[in-house]
Amino acid sequence: MTAPALQPRRGRPPKLDRDNRETREALLHAGMRLLTEQGFLSTGIDTVLREVGVPKGSFYHYFASKEAFGLAVLERYAGYFATKLERWLGDASRPPLARLEAFVADARAGMARHGFRRGCLVGNLGQEVTQLPAGFREQLEAVLCDWQARLAACLRAAQQDGSLAPTVDCDELAAFFWIGWEGAVLRARLVQSDAPLATFIRGFLALLPR
């Protein structure tokens, strides 16, 4: 069941110590943390407001609804994760497959650092998608397609250096990776250990045609 839409309060936003941009950034930052921990449906606007320390009227100055807020958080997360993928998968100082291993190592360290409370925001929302407003489905798929394209480029680089067979369909293999990766992240949160991530990347690399 979709969370009921919250009605914005009319009138001018309250006067705040921080400027408008800073307040919006703080709301998005809190949203990223909360939604990676507990998803969209379980995260109430009041929880976000307490995290940031702003009144509800101020929230509606920046976001027309909880749905608009969730989509903005997803967009911000997509940008954050794209930067992370570019840093690891685009690192020309490493062999292509080593770049993928470095990405996984960073993810393992990140999950452990946060006590396995935080997962993947895209994965969390994907599990809720049948109960989310329609706009989420298209944006989630677009984010996953972007991730797949970035990994496919890295895999094509592996073909060029001879570490991956030239007959491999890199787009298909990249799609396979992200399908499996989201399951590994879910299992890591379940068992409170990075072992599922390690198991997944070992299996993925071992099965690559060379």
Side-chain angles (χ1 to χ4, degrees):
M1 183 177 180
T2 301
L6 298 172
Q7 297 301 314
R9 294 183 179 179
R10 298 188 178 277
R12 299 174 66 184
K15 198 169 184 179
L16 302 172
D17 290 335
R18 53 169 74 94
D19 62 32
N20 286 354
R21 181 176 176 80
E22 184 183 351
T23 300
R24 188 176 188 277
E25 290 299 310
L27 289 166
L28 290 173
H29 182 77
M32 280 181 57
R33 186 185 70 76
L34 291 167
L35 268 62
T36 53
E37 288 188 8
Q38 58 195 40
F40 179 80
L41 298 177
S42 297
T43 301
I45 294 302
D46 289 341
T47 303
V48 178
L49 296 176
R50 284 195 300 272
E51 183 87 5
V52 179
V54 298
K56 190 170 288 187
S58 179
F59 175 88
Y60 286 114
H61 176 64
Y62 304 107
F63 306 102
S65 64
K66 182 183 177 184
E67 176 183 351
F69 174 66
L71 289 170
V73 171
L74 177 55
E75 182 180 10
R76 177 57 55 84
Y77 183 84
Y80 153 78
F81 208 83
T83 299
K84 180 187 287 286
L85 289 177
E86 180 62 29
R87 182 169 70 248
W88 295 114
L89 301 184
D91 181 5
S93 69
R94 301 172 187 264
L97 295 182
R99 301 173 203 173
L100 181 57
E101 292 182 271
F103 161 75
V104 173
D106 179 68
R108 292 173 63 183
M111 290 196 75
R113 185 167 59 251
H114 296 293
F116 298 95
R117 296 185 306 276
R118 301 185 189 181
C120 171
L121 188 143
V122 170
N124 288 355
L125 296 182
Q127 293 176 66
E128 301 177 320
V129 72
T130 58
Q131 302 178 73
L132 295 179
F136 281 87
R137 186 184 300 273
E138 182 178 346
Q139 190 163 338
L140 285 167
E141 180 62 14
V143 173
L144 286 168
C145 286
D146 176 69
W147 295 359
Q148 287 171 200
R150 292 172 185 277
L151 178 54
C154 181
L155 294 173
R156 279 190 281 273
Q159 286 181 320
Q160 291 171 4
D161 78 356
S163 56
L164 184 62
T167 54
V168 170
D169 183 334
C170 292
D171 294 307
E172 181 76 8
L173 191 58
F176 174 78
F177 175 89
W178 290 113
I179 290 169
W181 177 257
E182 291 299 337
V185 170
L186 176 64
R187 186 71 179 273
R189 295 184 74 192
L190 179 65
V191 299
Q192 298 284 284
S193 166
D194 67 351
L197 303 181
T199 297
F200 175 73
I201 190 59
R202 281 198 303 270
F204 180 83
L205 293 173
L207 293 174
L208 290 180
R210 309 292 178 134

